[in-house]
Amino acid sequence: MRASSGAGRVRTGPAPASAKALASEFARYFGIPVTARMTQAQITDAVCHTCNRVGVRLVVIDEIHRLNPRTTTGAETADLLKDLAERIRATSVYAGIDVSAHPHLPVASVPASPRRHGRR
């Protein structure tokens, strides 16, 4: 895992990251100490509490097209993302490439920009 140098950004990699690894990366970003003995639920509780305490207003998850909830790791990670979206008082945005082509991702797809053909 590596952190981005951009303010307010948390980056994880490489995919697929486990749910516990993703929760731990959020915790690391907020400076929440995490030990190997902590459960995913304990880490998630600490992350949600901290996000709400510091007033996080937007959570953006990119590369959502890499998530496959039909695998064990993917299902656990999808459950974590749902849990975070329900418990953090912030707007959650999921972005990815051609998400509508992935039937296992039940998300609404909005084009990044309208495509225009011809001149106006």
Side-chain angles (χ1 to χ4, degrees):
M1 304 254 177
R2 62 189 185 279
S4 168
S5 60
R9 292 184 180 181
V10 175
R11 292 187 61 172
T12 61
S18 70
K20 185 175 181 179
L22 182 58
S24 296
E25 186 64 17
F26 273 100
R28 187 210 50 79
Y29 173 78
F30 285 109
I32 301 167
V34 174
T35 66
R37 297 181 72 177
M38 291 177 73
T39 66
Q40 177 189 325
Q42 291 170 320
I43 299 166
T44 302
D45 287 346
V47 167
C48 292
H49 172 76
T50 301
C51 285
N52 290 327
R53 184 174 48 82
V54 301
V56 171
R57 295 174 54 192
L58 179 66
V59 176
V60 178
I61 305 292
D62 195 10
E63 306 265 342
I64 198 72
H65 59 278
R66 294 179 182 237
L67 179 64
N68 182 354
R70 292 182 179 167
T71 66
T72 301
T73 300
E76 290 171 355
T77 304
D79 286 345
L80 172 68
L81 293 177
K82 181 180 177 191
D83 194 26
L84 293 174
E86 291 174 349
R87 295 177 56 194
I88 297 173
R89 293 185 299 267
T91 299
S92 295
V93 176
Y94 305 98
I97 298 170
D98 201 17
V99 178
S100 61
H102 298 277
H104 56 270
L105 294 176
V107 295
S109 178
V110 178
S113 63
R115 296 181 185 200
R116 297 178 192 244
H117 300 282
R119 295 183 175 184
R120 286 192 161 215

